[in-house]
Amino acid sequence: MIKKFIDKLLGKTSTPIAVPKGKRVEVPASEHGIDPALVDENAVRVVQTLADAGYEAYIVGGAVRDLLVGLRPKDFDVATNATPEQVKGLFRRAFIIGRRFRIVHVVFGRGREHEVIEVSTFRAMMDAAASEQVSGNEKTSKSELAGKTHAVDASGRVLRDNVWGPQIEDAARRDFTVNAMYYDPQRQIVVDYHGGIKDAKKKVLRIIGDPVTRYREDPVRIIRVVRFAAKLGFTIDPKTRAPIRELAALLDSVPASRTFDEMIKLLQTGHALASIEELHKQGLAGAARGLFPILDVMLDDAQKHPARQKFVQLALADTDRRVAESKPVAPSFMLACMLWHEVLDRWLRLKKGGEAPFPALQQAIDAVFDARIGDISGRGKLAGDMREIWLMQPRFERRTGNGPFTLVEQPRFRAAFDFLRLRADAGEIDAELARWWEDFSLADPDERHRLMQGKRDGSRDGPREAPRRSSGPRAAAATRDPAPAKAGDAAEADDATDAVDGDLSAEPARKRRRRRRKPGGGDSGGAPAAGGDAGE
C-alpha cells in the first residue's frame, strides 16, 4: 500500500504496460528459404547437445535475421530453456559471464581459430512497474543489486534481467521483430511470434511493444536501431523512429563501457560511413557529441579540416572494405586513425613549448587517450596497440644507420606502415616515403643496403623496381599477405590477434630496458560487458 501511495504521488502507475506476447507461428523451410549450408556447424552442435539432454534450443536473433536475407552471419547465438548452470554442465569449455544478463560462452577451438557460441536462457517479460528499483546505477548501487534477479533504475532502465521464462516471453522482451525469431536447424523451421519474417522481407525495423517504454528499458536500443538501419539497409518504422530524438538524452545514463562497445560496433561492422550518415538522418549527430568522444572527431573537428576529414574517411572506408572481404579488423588501428590529428596537434604544441620530442609525443598520447577513450574495459590493450602505431611514425622519417633495419623487425611494423601509407594516401606526407618503406620491407638484404645507399647519395638508383624478397620470417609474412594495394590490409590482420609487449620508442634498446615505465591507467584487459538485447 505504501509503495502504491508513493508511486501515485510521483505520478507512476502500477498498472502493467501491455506488451504484445505475440502468437507462435512455425514457418517451414519451403517458406523461409534459409540455406542450411550458411549455418555454423558449432552452433548446430550446441543446439544438438542441448536437445539430446532434453532441453529446447534454437539459433536466435541476428543470425536468423541474416540467414533470412541470404547473408552469412558473423556470429551465432543460441537460446534455450536450460539455465546457465545446466548449459555449462553439458560442455567441456563453457563459461558463465555477465551480471546484467547471465549468459554462457561455449568455446570451440583455440588460438586464432577459436569460436565462441553465446548461449542465453529464455527470459521472462518483466514490466518495469513490477521490478525492484534501485536509486543509482550499476556502479553506485552494487550492494543494492546483489542477489536481485530483476531490477531497474529510476528512469526504468533495466540493470538486472535474470528471470527465466517461456520462449513466448523471451521473444517479447527482445528489441526488434526481425531479431525475435528462432531457428531449429534440426527440423529446419523458423519460430516467429511478431511478424519478423514479414518485416525482414519488407526491410523494416520495428520495435516490439511501446517504443518509449522499450527505449527507457535500454537506451542503447536507440543506437542499435541506427546501426541496424545502416548495416541492413532497412528503413525504421515511423512509430519506432518518432521518440528517438526526444529520448536520446537517456544515453547519458548508460555506462561508458557499453556506449564504447556500441560505438565500436557502429564503426566496425562494415558500414561505418553509412552509420555516420544515419546518425545525421535521425537527428542524433548532436546527441552523439560528448556521448561518443571519438565520434566528435568525425562530427566536428574533421569537418573543419578537409584534409583530416579525408584521412578519417579513408580509414573508415578501408575498414568497411575489409569487413566486406571477410578480413579481420581491430579497433586499435581504426581508433589510431581517428585520433591521430589530435595527438599530432598536442605534440606540436608541447614541442613548441620546449618539451623534448619523444616525451612530448608520449604526453600527447596520454592526454588524448584520457580525453577520448576514458576508463573502459580493455583500455590497456588498446593503449598499447595505438601507442606503438603512433610512436613509430616519427621513426619512419629517419632512413639512416641501423634504424630502418631495427624498425622493420618490430612486431607492429606492418600496422604502423599501413598507417603511414594511409597518411600518404590522404596527402599528409610525401608518397615517396611510403613507397620507400614498402620497397625496404619486402627487399632482401642486398636490396635493402642498396636502398639505404640511395638515401645516403640523395637519390634513387634509377627507376623504381620490384625489390627482391628476402627469405626470412618477414618475407614469409609478406608472401602470405603481400604489401597490400590499400592501407590497412596487413595492419589490421596483425592487429586483430597479436599481443603487445612494451612500447616502441626512438630510445636505444639498452636504455629502454633500464627506463621505468609509468603504470598505465584504466583496466588492463578483461572480457567486455555482456548484455543488451540478443539479436546482433
Side-chain angles (χ1 to χ4, degrees), residues 43-86:
V44 174
R45 191 178 306 170
V46 170
V47 170
Q48 180 71 56
T49 300
L50 288 163
D52 290 346
Y55 300 109
E56 293 181 68
Y58 300 82
I59 293 170
V60 68
V64 183
R65 177 200 66 220
D66 290 350
L67 289 168
L68 282 170
V69 296
L71 300 176
R72 183 182 295 276
K74 180 181 178 183
D75 300 302
F76 282 82
D77 298 336
V78 170
T80 178
N81 62 349
T83 66
E85 290 76 15
Q86 289 168 333

Side-chain angles (χ1 to χ4, degrees), residues 351-410:
K351 287 198 299 181
K352 190 175 181 180
E355 191 73 50
F358 181 67
L361 181 54
Q362 288 187 312
Q363 290 178 37
I365 290 171
D366 290 340
V368 170
F369 211 87
D370 287 340
R372 298 295 191 183
I373 304 295
D375 186 13
I376 52 99
S377 177
R379 172 188 164 115
K381 178 65 166 65
L382 272 176
D385 291 359
M386 294 164 68
R387 181 181 296 272
E388 292 199 39
I389 290 172
W390 288 330
L391 288 174
M392 281 196 209
Q393 299 310 303
R395 299 179 65 185
F396 283 117
E397 301 288 344
R398 296 189 294 272
R399 290 177 280 174
T400 58
N402 289 326
F405 296 95
T406 303
L407 185 59
V408 81
E409 297 302 325
Q410 298 291 351

Side-chain angles (χ1 to χ4, degrees), residues 42 45-47 49-50 86-94 104-108 119:
N42 288 328
R45 191 178 306 170
V46 170
V47 170
T49 300
L50 288 163
Q86 289 168 333
V87 173
K88 186 177 186 301
L90 292 174
F91 299 93
R92 185 171 62 86
R93 297 181 65 206
V104 180
H105 279 179
V106 180
V107 182
F108 294 91
V119 183

Side-chain angles (χ1 to χ4, degrees), residues 133-314:
Q133 184 175 310
V134 299
S135 56
N137 55 36
E138 292 90 334
K139 289 187 176 181
T140 61
S141 301
K142 286 184 178 180
S143 59
E144 290 184 72
L145 288 169
K148 287 182 171 59
T149 56
H150 196 277
V152 299
D153 67 8
S155 68
R157 183 168 65 91
V158 177
L159 304 181
R160 291 289 185 274
D161 187 10
N162 293 302
V163 180
W164 318 134
Q167 186 187 52
I168 190 171
E169 293 191 16
D170 185 74
R173 61 159 291 280
R174 292 177 181 270
D175 51 8
F176 308 108
T177 60
V178 295
N179 290 339
M181 294 176 285
Y182 304 77
Y183 177 63
D184 182 345
Q186 297 173 297
R187 293 188 293 159
Q188 293 188 23
I189 63 167
V190 170
V191 178
D192 185 5
Y193 289 94
H194 299 279
I197 289 182
K198 181 180 178 181
D199 284 345
K201 290 182 178 179
K202 288 184 176 181
K203 296 188 175 182
V204 172
L205 282 172
R206 188 190 317 275
I207 208 163
I208 298 172
D210 175 60
V212 173
T213 302
R214 302 311 303 278
Y215 289 140
R216 287 190 180 278
E217 286 176 350
D218 187 1
V220 167
R221 288 171 180 154
I222 294 171
I223 301 300
R224 287 166 64 84
V225 72
V226 169
R227 175 159 58 87
F228 288 141
K231 174 183 176 181
L232 302 170
F234 283 18
T235 59
I236 302 174
D237 171 69
K239 291 183 179 179
T240 299
R241 183 180 63 247
I244 286 178
R245 294 192 190 191
E246 177 188 349
L247 299 178
L250 293 173
L251 288 163
D252 292 335
S253 65
V254 178
S257 59
R258 285 199 70 204
T259 55
F260 182 81
D261 184 51
E262 285 300 319
M263 186 273 298
I264 292 297
K265 291 177 181 177
L266 201 70
L267 298 177
Q268 203 172 293
T269 52
H271 304 83
L273 296 175
S275 295
I276 298 296
E277 182 180 346
E278 192 68 29
L279 281 174
H280 283 282
K281 183 179 177 181
Q282 301 305 328
L284 288 174
R289 289 185 175 90
L291 177 66
F292 301 126
I294 294 172
L295 280 187
D296 291 348
V297 178
M298 188 71 186
L299 299 173
D300 277 328
D301 186 63
Q303 294 183 7
K304 298 175 184 177
H305 305 279
R308 298 184 179 190
Q309 185 180 29
K310 180 180 179 181
F311 178 80
V312 174
Q313 287 181 335
L314 282 173

Side-chain angles (χ1 to χ4, degrees), residues 413-435:
F413 169 80
R414 298 181 72 191
F417 166 68
D418 276 353
F419 189 90
L420 178 80
R421 182 159 43 195
L422 197 64
R423 293 172 63 201
D425 291 343
E428 180 181 317
I429 60 170
D430 190 343
E432 187 276 332
L433 181 65
R435 287 196 300 268

